[in-house]
Amino acid sequence: MFEALAQYPDHLALEGEILAWWETEGIFERLREQNRGGPRFSFMDGPITANNPMGAHHCWGRTLKDVFQRYKALQGHELRYQNGFDCQGLWVEVGVERELGLNSKREIEEYGIAEFAERCKQRVAKYAEIITDQCRRLGMWMDWDNDYYTFSDTNIEYIWRFLRECHERDWLYLGHRAVEWCPRCGTSLSQHELINSYAELTHPSLYVRFPLKGRAGESLVVWTTTPWTLPANVAAAVNPDAEYGLTKSLEWWAVERNPDAELTRRVRGRELVGLEYEAPFEHLPAQEGVVHRVIPWDDVSLDEGTGIVHIAPGAGAEDFELSRVHDLPVLTPIDEAGRFYKDYGELEGRSTEDVEGPITVELERRGLLVEAGSIVHRYPICWRCSTPLVFRIADDWMIRADEIRQPMLDANATVEWTPDFYSKRMDDWLRNMDDWNISRRRYFGLPLPFYPCNSCSKLTVIGSLAELRERATGGLEQLQELHRPWIDEVPIRCDCGAEVRRVTEVGDAWLDAGIVPFSTLGWQSPEWKEHGYATGAAAGLTGADLPDHAYWEKWYPADWVSEMREQIRLWFYSQCFMSVTLTGKSPYRAVLTYEKLLDEHGREMHRSWGNAIDAAEALENIGADVIRFMFCEHVPSQNMKFGYGPAAEIRRRLLTYWNSVKFFVDYANVDGFRPGDESPGELQPLDRWLFERTEQLVAEISEQYERYWTPGVMRAFDSFVDDLSNWYIRRSRRRFWNSDEVALWTLHRALLRSVQVIGPVMPFLADFLWRRLRTEDAPVSVFLEPWPEARPRDEELLREVGEVRRIVELGRQARGDAGLKLRQPLRRLVVQGAGPARRHSDEIAEELRVKEVEFAPVEAMEVRVKPNLPLLGPKLGKELGAVRSALEAGEFEQLEGGGVRVNGHELGADEVLVERRAREGWALAADDALTVAMTTELDDDLRREGRVYELIHRVNTMRKDAGLELTDRIRLTLPASDADLLEHADWIKEEVLATDVATDGGSEPEIAKVS
Ligand SMILES: [Zn+2]
Ligand SMILES: [Zn+2]
């Protein structure tokens, strides 16, 4: 007996049941054991930040990772299954700051860096556990107790090794430059952190007068949207080629920017260069000694402002560049927290926003304000805390990118990207990448191992913990792990003998994630250390080993990685950078990438908009299999709309498959069918077709998995389920009623195979069905059964039945268009263009309820051709009339390619409008190759048969509603008005399992069970 299936699947319940069963039976461990020593498939997991529970969007990547790992495992590959957590850096810090209600670096320092670090570790431990539970629920099979944590000392040491390599190549330098700065986080941002981080903000828009020295009453007029930069002004730039004019009120503007003004003088910009002016805040101590002058700058825009640009090199990137060209002083007005330094007078200690009002008032008071308004513009904000960014001059540690650019491009050329155009996106990023800004002025992050010596000015870069121990002059006893504040208490001895302290900066978090192909696989580890990865902050969190170099050789590079597209400039980039530096080659051979998750209406998901769905909520309400189905069906290069509406639609579609399995189980149980290896009898043509169709499914789906293309997997599965349910089962119903074991055997085999191949996508449903369908000698789980081998197929048979199905589809379409129900038999069907389907005229007749099928040219089609007047009018001139009436009369000949010959003219396809339709009395449908037409006229016999079909349908519905078993017999009573249908009594009896049919005086048919 097969265990019966419910009417509808309860996805949530069955997933719970399977999850518990996997656990108690140790299915995953058994799979790993089974594959040990098999061919390797190396997958490297991009670490998820352990800083929050998962959102629905995380389920996308996690699904894809699990699908392909399961597929490869089913093929007998050995896998590592190591999950990774990203654990340090600003994300975690900002999370803890919020938790503790801290809002500045000063408050963190008051709280205590050691205590703050402990809180960061606690937060990571907490969310790593929550994320793990959510991934398990999603069905993700990973080696959960052996995760890597990027804050382990091992990970950090490997990054140190990389940084030392960079130093040896002379790539490392301390850059003094203008950087985008978050005043709340108190650190600069690097290029990859700036993309897409903008908001529409309102800022002041001020036109300000700079009085010229030695030119009585004359002023330059500048425009600024950042008044806080005016106290740091040192120059004014003009476009040397542009024309400037002096207005009656003695103001200089670019003529183009003030076209209506009456001008008393006009000069080229270059004539203004060198003039000196009084800056509005030159009385401040910071401005002492600065000579303010006009400089030339070709890039001064004439599209906005006044054509004269105020230059503050300490508060703008381009300004800073100009300071180098023109040797301008650089005044840095604000500190790390975005507050004015003390030589800025009454502005001291105030933020850039706080000073906007006072500065405007002061300009007004001194008669320097020409006009004040406001502007709404796109402005960069911090991606972590949304604070508007400012420019500051800062010393940041940088890695030079120029030398590695080409090797990285070469490495990327060896990578297979899916979809393939992302390869170009990666190239674009690499071509344009700036030097890598790796330093962050924060607390809980990778400590940069840089020890600059003040005495001899040598920079020592420490490459390992052992080296640190060797060179330390003290503080080792308190070094619990490689984090601040402990690491800061360990000075080293410089080669010159001086004692040197570490710089206080920590590293960019993408260093942490980028090193994992080395740190987790044991690159340059002389020996295997059991649980050796659980060092430093990771101690107690994981049992992961630190493998040895031989292991790294086996598993590097990864065969495959998969993350979202954003990672091109993040993880794919940092990993590639570090790998090419250390080994000269790409760390991955193939990449699958995907876009963004939107809500079901296509809007971005935001917690504050109330439309975000977190993973827990999605899993509880939708279930893992349906979520996975949705992600797999979606084309990854497009944003995906996710929500409960689309999920309900998937659940509905899955019913067809469920019903097919249920159909089998129900009939197999009625007959006590027990499937064996061989068919119990000779396969009929339809069985042979399903057999071949099943082989085709296995081949198609395997090919799509090999391509890492889940939409192709889902398409193949969908079309198979349609063939299975709407062709094989429907065409074979009578055989199942008659307990035909060959049909049951064929269907059983097809179902088992389909369960196997869809297992990676819907592991819960697959194992649930496998456990019901499997034979006793088969493994208990579908994941322990080897992947089915695709055999050579009978392509001809597949084409033949494919054509039959197409003819039937077109026939249905023709009926639908003509408003003829399928239950109403018709007299005649003509098919044009059919090949091997000709052998199946009986099936076609039955499917389309027609009495005769004829394979011949369809003459039921009327082709009407009209002239395309805009083209033909000019071409034919006065002959147009004659051509038109010939066309109307049908006196034309159709030519290949869609044109016609008429009245001695050959007209091209674009010169005529061709309309095809059925002649009166016919229904018609066509595709490129096939045309199908049916007569629509009905006679009494046809009408009566139509009523019999209606009756059969109605009675079978009544049987179902009455809860009768498939095998129950009934007695059927018809109203007198249906007496004429008794002519077909035998037919009716057979179709509704009636022992007899009679009429009485009632008005409706009635049924009674025969006991
Ligand atoms: Zn910030
Ligand atoms: Zn020194």
Side-chain angles (χ1 to χ4, degrees):
M1 281 291 272
F2 296 92
E3 197 182 325
L5 294 186
Q7 193 78 36
Y8 300 101
D10 181 344
H11 288 286
L12 298 176
L14 78 81
E15 287 173 12
E17 177 193 324
I18 293 292
L19 206 54
W21 179 76
W22 282 343
E23 193 71 38
T24 51
E25 295 290 316
I27 302 296
F28 177 47
E29 290 70 26
R30 283 158 75 176
L31 170 68
R32 293 194 73 181
E33 192 50 48
Q34 197 168 300
N35 287 346
R36 212 173 298 279
R40 280 182 295 276
F41 179 73
S42 179
F43 164 71
M44 182 53 71
D45 185 38
I48 182 169
T49 308
N51 187 43
N52 277 306
M54 294 205 299
H57 62 285
H58 289 113
C59 295
W60 191 346
R62 307 244 128 194
T63 292
L64 295 176
K65 289 173 182 182
D66 191 61
V67 165
F68 291 103
Q69 289 197 101
R70 280 185 190 260
Y71 167 71
K72 292 291 178 182
L74 283 168
Q75 293 232 323
H77 286 88
E78 180 174 1
L79 282 88
R80 297 182 62 244
Y81 295 107
Q82 191 176 32
N83 170 77
F85 289 113
D86 222 351
C87 315
Q88 55 187 12
L90 261 160
W91 269 130
V92 178
E93 286 196 33
V94 171
V96 171
E97 279 181 76
R98 286 200 182 126
E99 219 172 81
L100 297 175
L102 306 176
N103 203 29
S104 71
K105 287 170 72 173
R106 188 177 49 80
E107 286 175 23
I108 295 172
E109 281 169 25
E110 279 167 13
Y111 180 79
I113 300 177
E115 184 56 28
F116 187 72
E118 295 299 343
R119 294 303 186 108
C120 288
K121 288 194 278 179
Q122 281 166 13
R123 186 175 173 93
V124 167
K126 172 179 162 187
Y127 286 108
E129 206 174 311
I130 291 173
I131 290 170
T132 300
D133 285 347
Q134 294 179 332
C135 290
R136 283 180 200 263
R137 177 62 190 87
L138 182 65
M140 197 180 191
W141 272 354
M142 285 299 228
D143 187 4
W144 290 115
D145 299 324
N146 294 315
D147 316 275
Y148 71 79
Y149 285 74
T150 59
F151 61 16
S152 83
D153 279 0
T154 305
N155 211 65
I156 290 169
E157 274 190 88
Y158 268 96
I159 301 167
W160 283 7
R161 201 165 302 183
F162 161 77
L163 292 173
R164 202 190 26 211
E165 177 68 26
C166 292
H167 183 46
E168 278 165 12
R169 295 189 193 193
D170 201 21
W171 291 353
L172 211 55
Y173 70 98
L174 188 61
H176 180 68
R177 46 192 222 170
V179 287
E180 301 263 16
W181 188 276
C182 174
R184 198 215 68 87
C185 294
T187 189
S188 59
L189 285 87
S190 68
Q191 187 190 11
H192 54 232
E193 292 174 306
L194 286 169
I195 292 170
N196 298 330
S197 194
Y198 287 84
E200 295 279 321
L201 295 181
T202 305
H203 280 130
S205 162
L206 305 184
Y207 290 83
V208 181
R209 210 172 269 136
F210 286 1
L212 287 167
K213 289 183 176 167
R215 298 273 199 120
E218 287 181 26
S219 299
L220 305 170
V221 177
V222 302
W223 176 64
T224 182
T225 57
T226 50
W228 68 270
T229 60
L230 288 171
N233 171 272
V234 299
V238 295
N239 188 324
D241 295 325
E243 196 179 19
Y244 290 81
L246 187 65
T247 65
K248 284 188 139 172
S249 44
L250 300 179
E251 290 168 357
W252 285 98
W253 290 67
V255 173
E256 208 178 313
R257 297 304 308 160
N258 199 1
D260 302 330
E262 240 180 87
L263 302 176
T264 58
R265 265 186 76 194
R266 288 167 185 256
V267 298
R268 288 284 153 193
R270 63 174 54 85
E271 293 174 52
L272 299 173
V273 169
L275 293 178
E276 291 179 12
Y277 64 88
E278 289 165 32
F281 293 92
E282 63 178 34
H283 57 281
L284 293 175
Q287 288 269 0
E288 208 182 305
V290 176
V291 177
H292 300 89
R293 58 190 166 95
V294 179
I295 59 167
W297 184 24
D298 291 338
D299 290 343
V300 169
S301 163
L302 297 174
D303 297 335
E304 58 178 16
T306 65
I308 305 174
V309 178
H310 127 71
I311 303 295
E318 292 163 319
D319 307 47
F320 184 72
E321 292 309 315
L322 284 171
S323 77
R324 300 190 158 183
V325 178
H326 296 284
D327 198 19
L328 304 173
V330 178
L331 308 185
T332 303
I334 52 170
D335 65 13
E336 294 190 356
R339 296 182 180 272
F340 276 82
Y341 284 116
K342 73 170 186 302
D343 47 355
Y344 284 81
E346 62 270 33
L347 305 178
E348 181 191 342
R350 300 167 88 170
S351 74
T352 56
E353 271 172 36
D354 288 348
V355 301
E356 280 171 6
I359 285 179
T360 311
V361 169
E362 175 71 2
L363 293 171
E364 172 93 77
R365 190 181 67 76
R366 289 171 33 208
L368 297 176
L369 197 60
V370 179
E371 196 186 309
S374 62
I375 182 174
V376 179
H377 56 174
R378 258 180 105 239
Y379 194 84
I381 57 171
C382 175
W383 57 284
R384 292 167 295 248
C385 69
S386 298
T387 303
L389 301 180
V390 293
F391 268 102
R392 272 192 88 232
I393 303 302
D395 289 340
D396 274 328
W397 290 96
M398 315 286 295
I399 303 177
R400 254 183 266 283
D402 281 337
E403 233 174 87
I404 200 162
R405 192 184 312 277
Q406 191 55 47
M408 282 178 82
L409 284 162
D410 295 343
N412 190 45
T414 67
V415 177
E416 221 170 288
W417 288 79
T418 304
D420 58 4
F421 62 85
Y422 287 113
S423 170
K424 214 192 137 304
R425 295 269 186 93
M426 180 75 174
D427 279 350
D428 289 345
W429 170 259
L430 294 177
R431 283 203 189 89
N432 295 313
M433 70 176 170
D434 284 346
D435 290 351
W436 186 358
N437 176 347
I438 55 165
S439 59
R440 303 286 181 275
R441 286 152 205 273
R442 296 292 306 191
Y443 307 99
F444 190 68
L446 159 83
L448 294 176
F450 302 159
Y451 295 79
C453 176
N454 287 332
S455 317
C456 73
S457 65
K458 177 180 171 163
L459 171 68
T460 303
V461 176
I462 295 290
S464 69
L465 181 54
E467 193 188 339
L468 179 70
R469 288 215 167 98
E470 207 179 291
R471 302 188 61 162
T473 56
L476 285 174
E477 69 295 339
Q478 56 83 54
L479 185 63
Q480 64 171 62
E481 64 193 67
L482 298 181
H483 279 116
R484 300 185 68 188
W486 307 285
I487 183 82
D488 295 339
E489 300 308 317
V490 185
I492 64 158
R493 181 82 57 208
C494 178
D495 289 340
C496 75
E499 189 181 73
V500 187
R501 293 197 160 265
R502 193 186 75 86
V503 301
T504 54
E505 283 91 335
V506 297
D508 179 5
W510 294 105
L511 289 166
D512 303 333
I515 200 67
V516 299
F518 298 91
S519 60
T520 63
L521 302 178
W523 183 65
Q524 293 196 348
S525 286
E527 63 194 25
W528 190 295
K529 286 190 197 148
E530 214 175 316
H531 312 307
Y533 185 85
T535 48
L541 290 177
T542 173
D545 292 348
L546 177 61
D548 56 14
H549 185 77
Y551 183 84
W552 180 85
E553 290 278 359
K554 279 191 204 161
W555 292 95
Y556 178 93
D559 290 306
W560 183 70
V561 293
S562 177
E563 303 293 335
M564 72 184 299
R565 191 249 303 158
E566 231 185 339
Q567 300 295 341
I568 285 177
R569 62 188 168 86
L570 303 170
W571 190 58
F572 296 139
Y573 152 76
S574 68
Q575 235 199 124
C576 183
F577 197 116
M578 297 172 99
S579 280
V580 172
T581 302
L582 297 176
T583 69
K585 60 180 179 179
S586 169
Y588 37 77
R589 294 193 172 102
V591 183
L592 170 64
T593 187
Y594 50 91
E595 289 291 325
K596 229 189 206 163
L597 199 69
L598 306 174
D599 76 5
E600 61 183 82
H601 307 294
R603 294 187 316 155
E604 292 211 18
M605 282 192 189
H606 287 291
R607 235 164 260 280
S608 57
W609 294 355
N611 65 344
I613 300 180
D614 62 30
E617 190 189 334
L619 286 163
E620 266 166 40
N621 290 292
I622 301 175
D625 280 333
V626 172
I627 290 176
R628 296 170 65 115
F629 188 118
M630 287 165 86
F631 285 126
C632 286
E633 190 170 54
H634 184 76
V635 172
S637 55
Q638 291 163 9
N639 289 338
M640 174 170 172
K641 293 179 188 170
F642 182 89
Y644 296 118
E649 173 62 19
I650 303 275
R651 257 198 305 273
R652 194 190 58 70
R653 280 168 55 197
L654 268 175
L655 271 182
T656 309
Y657 186 54
W658 178 268
N659 286 338
S660 300
V661 183
K662 180 171 166 52
F663 179 89
F664 166 80
V665 169
D666 289 348
Y667 279 97
N669 284 344
V670 167
D671 302 332
F673 170 71
R674 292 170 69 89
D677 284 348
E678 300 292 326
S679 164
E682 201 188 332
L683 297 188
Q684 296 197 9
L686 203 56
D687 303 328
R688 268 208 315 279
W689 168 74
L690 182 62
F691 192 94
E692 297 296 331
R693 183 67 184 84
T694 307
E695 294 302 314
Q696 187 182 28
L697 168 75
V698 172
E700 279 179 2
I701 267 195
S702 308
E703 190 191 325
Q704 300 298 332
Y705 280 122
E706 287 297 328
R707 292 177 55 214
Y708 299 112
W709 194 246
T710 54
V713 170
M714 300 318 287
R715 235 187 346 263
F717 178 69
D718 237 21
S719 119
F720 178 79
V721 170
D722 183 51
D723 278 349
L724 185 73
S725 161
N726 292 324
W727 194 253
Y728 183 79
I729 293 181
R730 208 165 43 72
R731 299 280 318 142
S732 312
R733 245 169 234 279
R734 197 168 303 273
R735 292 171 64 203
F736 290 106
W737 295 345
N738 296 333
S739 312
D740 183 328
E741 294 222 326
V742 176
L744 282 167
W745 183 87
T746 310
L747 178 57
H748 179 252
R749 184 176 171 282
L751 289 171
L752 271 185
R753 286 283 182 272
S754 64
V755 164
Q756 274 184 279
V757 296
I758 207 62
V761 173
M762 294 186 287
F764 297 101
L765 183 64
D767 241 353
F768 181 85
L769 296 177
W770 174 265
R771 291 175 64 199
R772 275 153 185 79
L773 293 174
R774 74 179 183 97
T775 51
E776 268 163 36
D777 52 344
V780 291
S781 164
V782 71
F783 297 103
L784 300 176
E785 170 81 2
W787 192 255
E789 235 174 274
R791 294 176 221 184
R793 297 184 301 279
D794 185 343
E795 297 289 351
E796 206 166 315
L797 177 59
L798 290 168
R799 253 198 312 279
E800 185 172 320
V801 178
E803 193 176 272
V804 173
R805 288 218 62 195
R806 188 70 195 126
I807 289 169
V808 171
E809 252 169 59
L810 287 171
R812 295 228 173 101
Q813 190 188 323
R815 271 178 172 273
D817 293 349
L820 290 164
K821 276 193 188 174
L822 196 55
R823 290 196 195 101
Q824 175 58 61
L826 300 173
R827 189 59 65 195
R828 206 172 135 221
L829 170 78
V830 185
V831 181
Q832 176 184 317
R838 287 161 183 261
R839 287 198 281 273
H840 297 260
S841 55
D842 289 353
E843 269 171 291
I844 294 169
E846 203 177 310
E847 281 291 314
L848 289 174
R849 296 257 155 85
V850 291
K851 299 287 174 195
E852 301 158 30
V853 177
E854 201 182 317
F855 294 96
V858 170
E859 280 158 17
M861 186 160 51
E862 204 168 53
V863 180
R864 295 182 33 155
V865 178
K866 290 180 184 164
N868 184 354
L869 290 175
L871 285 181
L872 278 188
K875 175 173 172 176
L876 296 177
K878 58 182 187 306
E879 280 186 69
L880 181 64
V883 166
R884 187 206 295 247
S885 36
L887 288 173
E888 256 167 44
E891 292 160 3
F892 59 84
E893 185 191 336
Q894 282 185 278
L895 303 174
E896 276 197 25
V900 296
R901 182 176 295 125
V902 55
N903 258 19
H905 296 281
E906 276 196 16
L907 306 183
D910 55 336
E911 293 172 324
V912 288
L913 308 169
V914 180
E915 204 182 271
R916 287 188 177 79
R917 56 179 199 189
R919 267 189 225 285
E920 189 65 31
W922 291 83
L924 182 141
D927 65 13
D928 294 344
L930 291 163
T931 306
V932 170
M934 274 172 272
T935 52
T936 56
E937 199 191 344
L938 301 178
D939 54 33
D940 288 345
D941 287 345
L942 289 174
R943 282 199 190 89
R944 201 174 303 119
E945 280 183 34
R947 285 169 53 218
V948 171
Y949 279 115
E950 288 292 347
L951 176 71
I952 290 168
H953 174 71
R954 185 163 172 197
V955 172
N956 278 332
T957 309
M958 289 165 72
R959 285 183 59 111
K960 222 177 260 173
D961 293 347
L964 297 188
E965 296 290 326
L966 293 171
T967 47
D968 287 341
R969 304 268 148 179
I970 56 164
R971 197 165 287 130
L972 173 63
T973 316
L974 298 180
S977 56
D978 280 345
D980 59 335
L981 301 187
L982 290 180
E983 179 185 321
H984 294 295
D986 287 345
W987 173 18
I988 297 170
K989 280 184 341 199
E990 197 182 333
E991 294 287 339
V992 303
L993 288 193
T995 51
D996 57 70
V997 185
T999 55
D1000 70 357
S1003 60
E1004 299 291 332
E1006 279 168 26
I1007 61 171
K1009 184 176 162 185
V1010 178
S1011 45

